[in-house]
Amino acid sequence: MVDRIRGEVSRFLDFDAGETSALVVSNLDWTAPMTALEFLRDIGKHFSVNRMLDRESVRARLEAGGISYTEFSYQLLQAMDFLELYRRYGCTLQLGGSDQWGNLVAGVGLIRSVESASVHALATPLITKPDGTSTARPRAARSG
């Protein structure tokens, strides 16, 4: 999977630039050895369920008939990924589509909470909505 992703993004990123080369890594490196209890203890404690329920994307899913636990908790996993990318590689910017805004902000908040560091998130509109029209404008967040 990592090789396939690298192949897709190699048109846009330089993987042979020496010290500044782009990297594609697998989050299995840090998620596989972690137990569910460790995840809840180390990551989950930084998140308020009320705040998670307040996110626009979660609220919309609840109003449309519900959201699975997997979907609801995904923002914690993505936030942990950003934290680990920050710790391991000094990553300070996470990019994503506008549908990922809540997940991106969760990562910014987790890093601010755990590392007291300033990082950034940038969401860009999805190319199109299901009806073929373009989506909302880009949004950005930073901590610190």
Side-chain angles (χ1 to χ4, degrees):
M1 178 72 140
V2 172
D3 289 336
R4 193 168 52 200
I5 291 170
R6 183 182 169 140
E8 288 292 320
V9 299
S10 64
R11 297 178 292 164
F12 309 105
L13 302 174
D14 188 352
F15 290 95
D16 299 311
E19 194 174 302
T20 60
S21 292
L23 297 172
V24 175
V25 297
S26 172
N27 66 354
L28 280 176
D29 292 345
W30 52 87
T31 57
M34 181 177 275
T35 68
L37 291 176
E38 290 170 329
F39 176 74
L40 293 171
R41 180 194 65 214
D42 298 341
I43 303 300
K45 71 180 181 182
H46 296 282
F47 291 86
S48 158
V49 171
N50 288 343
R51 188 173 184 127
M52 291 169 69
L53 289 170
D54 239 8
R55 297 218 192 278
E56 182 181 324
S57 59
V58 172
R59 205 170 341 112
R61 290 300 305 264
L62 288 171
E63 290 170 4
I67 186 170
S68 72
Y69 176 76
T70 303
E71 292 174 284
F72 181 68
S73 61
Y74 185 75
Q75 63 185 283
L76 277 71
L77 292 167
Q78 189 167 327
M80 182 180 72
D81 284 349
F82 192 10
L83 174 62
E84 285 301 317
L85 291 169
Y86 172 80
R87 286 176 170 169
R88 294 168 186 241
Y89 305 103
C91 178
T92 58
L93 175 64
Q94 186 174 37
L95 307 173
S98 55
D99 62 326
Q100 296 295 307
W101 180 246
N103 299 340
L104 297 169
V105 172
V108 169
L110 179 63
I111 293 169
R112 182 179 51 235
S113 175
V114 172
E115 299 289 337
S116 300
S118 179
V119 297
H120 310 275
L122 176 67
T124 60
L126 298 177
I127 295 171
T128 61
K129 294 188 276 185
D131 66 3
T133 61
S134 68
T135 59
R137 348 177 275 266
R139 300 180 352 181
R142 78 177 188 96
S143 66

